[in-house]
Amino acid sequence: QDMMVGRPAIIDGGIIIPSSKGLTRIDMATGNESWTMKLKNVAFVEPAEDGKSMYAFVSLNQGKNQEVHKVSTSGTAMWADGNKVKGTVSNFQITPKGLAIVSEVADSGKSGLGGMIAAKAQSNISFLSASTGEDLWEKAPKTKGHVQHFYVMDDGILFGIAEGGINKISFEGQTLFKKPLNTGENIHTMALTPQGLIYITDEDANIINLDTGESIWNKPIKYKRAKAVASTYDAAHKRYL
């Protein structure tokens, strides 16, 4: 018996249903089945650049990995094969040139007490060509950390790493900054201002030129990391301490 296994979506006048038999489109005007393709274990689908074709995200290895396929409006595969994504997708952006994906890969850490090994997630960024599905960033610099911020811009993608660091990569996989920008850990804020991009971390703040990645200020503002912030109410003097 056929059953739904993924999240359905409405794309270009049709209901796309991921089922145990494959991917099915139901025409919303007639209720008739338009097509079914044998693409199993689809977790969800998203409309592609044209709003008619779609990206299908398939779960593999009991959800530990995912694979991306591109499906046409008539239910045929548009890529020669699916592109296997390292880990599981945590964020993605559909751009005119392709699909930008952030995925989380479990990385075994050092042994702790009792010999237990702590798993630490590390982000991987891929950029899949809209026409072929090829990862255009296969040879791009690795993030070496967890992607905390991720923005698609006109000329590429800007990302901030939780362990510290900001970089910008073109859609073709070339770094747009002369060198990655070193920052403090845990980037609380990344925001555009008329002067440039401001960032605020646990340890520092700065404004950078988005074309070069260089500081606009002579040097970053540095401050000590607060271990904790707390306040109590002094009722006698009607004030917070």
Side-chain angles (χ1 to χ4, degrees):
Q1 185 178 353
D2 196 16
M3 63 179 181
M4 191 183 302
V5 295
R7 189 174 73 231
I10 297 175
I11 299 175
D12 191 37
I15 303 173
I16 311 299
I17 301 174
S19 73
S20 55
K21 291 184 178 179
L23 202 60
T24 301
R25 181 187 189 274
I26 305 296
D27 187 274
M28 291 181 65
T30 65
N32 295 329
E33 183 179 303
S34 305
W35 48 259
T36 296
M37 69 178 297
K38 293 181 179 179
L39 187 60
K40 297 182 179 181
N41 298 321
V42 175
F44 62 96
V45 293
E46 290 287 337
E49 311 80 31
D50 58 4
K52 297 180 180 180
S53 56
M54 64 204 77
Y55 292 109
F57 293 76
V58 174
S59 295
L60 303 174
N61 302 324
Q62 297 178 329
K64 294 178 181 177
N65 297 93
Q66 287 181 313
E67 187 176 70
V68 185
H69 294 255
K70 194 173 186 182
V71 179
S72 74
T73 55
S74 57
T76 59
M78 297 179 71
W79 295 342
D81 200 0
N83 188 300
K84 288 183 174 64
V85 175
K86 294 177 183 176
T88 55
V89 175
S90 59
N91 198 349
F92 64 91
Q93 291 284 341
I94 295 166
T95 79
K97 295 189 177 183
L99 180 64
I101 298 174
V102 177
S103 57
E104 304 303 321
V105 184
D107 182 24
S108 59
K110 295 180 180 179
S111 296
L113 294 173
M116 296 295 289
I117 296 177
K120 181 183 178 183
Q122 179 160 320
S123 300
N124 183 73
I125 298 184
S126 312
F127 190 82
L128 309 186
S129 162
S131 56
T132 66
E134 174 191 5
D135 187 353
L136 300 177
W137 288 11
E138 199 94 52
K139 296 180 181 179
K142 301 304 178 187
T143 58
K144 296 180 181 177
H146 174 69
V147 174
Q148 196 173 18
H149 299 269
F150 175 69
Y151 303 105
V152 174
M153 311 192 80
D154 291 340
D155 57 349
I157 294 177
L158 183 76
F159 57 89
I161 306 301
E163 290 80 356
I166 296 174
N167 209 343
K168 189 179 182 185
I169 297 181
S170 75
F171 295 117
E172 291 72 34
Q174 303 299 315
T175 52
L176 296 176
F177 290 170
K178 292 179 181 178
K179 58 182 180 180
L181 181 75
N182 291 322
T183 73
E185 292 184 6
N186 191 17
I187 303 172
H188 296 284
T189 301
M190 282 176 65
L192 295 176
T193 73
Q195 290 77 29
L197 177 84
I198 187 169
Y199 73 81
I200 302 171
T201 77
D202 277 350
E203 303 164 19
D204 63 354
N206 204 346
I207 295 181
I208 62 171
N209 183 315
L210 271 180
D211 293 326
T212 64
E214 294 176 347
S215 174
I216 290 176
W217 293 343
N218 289 332
K219 57 183 180 179
I221 297 173
K222 298 277 187 179
Y223 41 84
K224 291 183 179 180
R225 182 189 302 192
K227 291 183 179 179
V229 178
S231 65
T232 56
Y233 187 62
D234 179 1
H237 299 90
K238 298 181 180 179
R239 62 180 180 173
Y240 285 96
L241 302 174

